[in-house]
């Protein structure tokens, strides 16, 4: 699932994800991203410039990380 999110919301989630066991996602130049995963659900939030997204799914975290980097690397 892909949900567009306000950059301010994503920033708060990225900052707070460390307290929930989140991990920074590398590979997003000029942006920030974090992931949180459980055995049933993976979540990645990413922000670059004025764009933010929340990705969630029942896939391995690496799949969502790759999708976030690809989405944030494209221009609108």
């Amino acid at each position: 699932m892909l949900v567009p999110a306000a950059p301010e919301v994503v920033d708060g989630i990225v900052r707070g994800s460390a307290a929930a066991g989140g991990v920074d996602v590398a590979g997003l130049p000029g942006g920030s991203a974090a992931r949180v995963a459980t055995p049933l659900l993976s979540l990645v939030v990413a922000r670059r410039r004025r764009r933010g997204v929340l990705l969630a799914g029942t896939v391995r975290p690496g799949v969502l990380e790759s999708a976030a980097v690809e989405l944030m690397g494209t221009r609108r």
Side-chain angles (χ1 to χ4, degrees), residues 4-73:
E8 301 80 26
V9 172
V10 172
D11 285 343
I13 295 170
V14 168
R15 283 191 304 269
S17 69
V23 177
D24 285 339
V25 175
L28 188 59
S32 60
R35 73 171 158 86
V36 177
T38 70
L40 297 176
L41 184 69
S42 298
L43 171 74
V44 171
V45 291
R47 177 190 191 280
R48 184 169 181 223
R49 298 186 185 116
R50 296 180 305 214
R51 295 172 57 199
V53 295
L54 183 145
L55 296 151
T58 56
V59 296
R60 290 181 294 181
V63 173
L64 295 181
E65 288 178 26
S66 296
V69 169
E70 187 173 330
L71 282 168
M72 294 289 98

